[in-house]
Amino acid sequence: MADDIVLSTPRLSLRLWRDEDEASAKAMQTPAVMRWIQDETMPERRPGSVVERLRAMQDRYGHCFWVVERKEDKAFLGYCGLKRVDASGTDLTGAFEIGWSLAEPHWGQGYATEAATAALARAFTVHDAPFVVAFTVAQNAPSWRIMKRIGMKRREELDFDD
């Protein structure tokens, strides 16, 4: 459905979540994908389905981590977009946060950078974000590379443990 497309890039559509996306979102949660997102030491902070949570975020703020879909074949690649910081232990609560995660078969093809570039531009042009943050752990080199490619810089004074 063209009316659920939020952003468009040369190869990708970033769109709103559909009911049928729940299965694709769960299927992409392999150990390699989840390695930097959730581990057994982290408490479950997010009750409800992925689709429910992200739809609620979209309704509340006008943005969320949208589905990343390849235009060529409508394949579900993962998600990318904007949310508000909700982590504890930081003064950044409420700030704009950009994030992404793609299913393993789609790594290394520039999709995350392409989607993140579009989402970051939207943060400033549509949502008037004063700044945008991204979070990852020091060991997550692929995410650090994407952050650098889209023009982000590390600010160590913003680091926190969560």
Side-chain angles (χ1 to χ4, degrees):
M1 296 186 304
D3 59 338
D4 65 355
I5 295 174
V6 177
L7 289 167
S8 184
T9 73
R11 299 183 296 165
L12 308 171
S13 294
L14 278 69
R15 64 166 175 78
L16 301 177
W17 289 81
R18 301 174 188 150
D19 292 341
E20 61 268 22
D21 295 323
E22 187 77 41
S24 297
K26 285 182 181 176
M28 72 174 266
Q29 294 179 359
T30 64
V33 169
M34 298 306 290
R35 179 177 182 194
W36 309 118
I37 298 172
Q38 180 85 24
D39 69 29
E40 63 278 354
T41 66
M42 297 173 72
E44 179 57 48
R45 300 189 306 205
R46 302 174 184 117
S49 79
V50 171
V51 173
E52 289 170 351
R53 289 192 315 267
L54 291 167
R55 281 181 174 158
M57 191 181 300
Q58 178 70 34
D59 290 346
R60 182 171 183 186
Y61 297 112
H63 56 79
C64 68
F65 290 164
W66 301 290
V67 169
V68 176
E69 185 176 80
R70 189 170 42 220
K71 287 180 176 178
E72 176 185 345
D73 58 2
K74 304 292 187 208
F76 179 103
L77 306 184
Y79 63 79
C80 179
L82 306 167
K83 69 183 275 293
R84 296 301 177 110
V85 175
D86 59 357
S88 60
T90 177
D91 294 333
L92 294 170
T93 300
F96 282 85
E97 175 185 348
I98 189 168
W100 51 83
S101 184
L102 298 182
E104 287 178 75
H106 310 297
W107 291 357
Q109 299 174 54
Y111 294 132
T113 300
E114 187 173 329
T117 299
L120 187 61
R122 183 180 177 92
F124 294 116
T125 60
V126 174
H127 299 290
D128 297 320
F131 62 93
V132 177
V133 297
F135 299 115
T136 194
V137 297
Q139 299 86 350
N140 188 350
S143 279
W144 283 107
R145 285 192 296 271
I146 293 167
M147 289 178 202
K148 288 178 183 175
R149 281 188 205 118
I150 67 172
M152 299 186 92
K153 297 191 181 352
R154 182 174 184 194
R155 295 200 27 212
E156 291 186 28
E157 73 274 15
L158 299 179
D159 286 358
F160 66 97
D161 184 32
D162 181 359

